[in-house]
């Protein structure tokens, strides 16, 4: 599955690869994720922690081994809604930005002689 659009939500290439791998594998260990993605183990730990913070991946410990799985895909909608809220805030500040821009814009007078 192509998850390249996730970049619009601020996902890195590594996060997209790891999320896709966990999604494909179901319940998976770090070794399986590394085999599927080819990403260094240390980087996978960092990426998984970021995905856990975003609520997109969770883990459990079974027999002393940590296994990872994707959370409910509706959590992705939460990411989309956060992004929409930020974009609305930016849109709401545009009139103020335009006002400041127009007030600070120097008046340009040009004369050309021949």
């Amino acid at each position: 599955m192509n998850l390249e659009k996730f970049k619009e939500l601020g996902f890195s290439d590594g996060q997209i690869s790891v999320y896709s791998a966990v999604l494909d594998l179901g319940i998976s260990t770090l070794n399986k994720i590394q085999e599927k993605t080819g990403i260094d183990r240390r980087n996978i730990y960092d990426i998984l922690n970021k995905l856990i913070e975003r609520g997109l991946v969770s883990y459990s410990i079974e027999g002393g081994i940590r296994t990872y799985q994707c959370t409910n895909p509706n959590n992705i909608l939460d990411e989309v809604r956060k992004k929409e809220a930020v974009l609305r805030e930016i849109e709401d500040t545009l009139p103020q930005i335009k006002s400041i821009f127009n007030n600070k814009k120097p008046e340009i007078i040009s004369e050309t002689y021949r």
Side-chain angles (χ1 to χ4, degrees):
M1 178 184 332
N2 186 357
L3 301 176
E4 288 298 311
K5 295 286 184 183
F6 278 39
K7 287 182 182 179
E8 296 296 323
L9 295 174
F11 283 73
S12 68
D13 289 332
Q15 289 173 335
I16 293 169
S17 295
V18 170
Y19 183 79
S20 180
V22 174
L23 186 63
D24 288 343
L25 294 168
I27 297 174
S28 55
T29 62
L30 188 79
N31 288 336
K32 288 181 183 176
I33 296 169
Q34 183 188 20
E35 288 172 11
K36 184 137 179 97
T37 62
I39 298 173
D40 183 55
R41 289 175 63 92
R42 183 169 178 253
N43 292 337
I44 291 175
Y45 276 118
D46 292 339
I47 291 168
L48 283 168
N49 285 332
K50 288 178 183 172
L51 291 172
I52 290 168
E53 287 174 12
R54 291 178 109 164
L56 301 177
V57 171
S58 65
Y59 70 91
S60 59
I61 299 174
E62 299 173 10
I65 298 173
R66 189 180 277 202
T67 58
Y68 300 90
Q69 60 275 339
C70 289
T71 59
N72 190 317
N74 287 334
N75 292 342
I76 296 168
L77 286 177
D78 292 339
E79 291 284 321
V80 171
R81 289 185 182 114
K82 287 177 192 175
K83 186 80 162 186
E84 287 175 341
V86 169
L87 291 173
R88 275 194 297 277
E89 287 177 20
I90 292 170
E91 189 176 33
D92 291 344
T93 60
L94 272 177
Q96 294 170 336
I97 293 170
K98 286 179 182 178
S99 174
I100 293 169
F101 174 77
N102 288 331
N103 288 337
K104 302 290 180 178
K105 193 166 120 179
E107 191 174 316
I108 298 174
I109 299 174
S110 175
E111 294 181 5
T112 306
Y113 296 99
R114 220 180 245 219

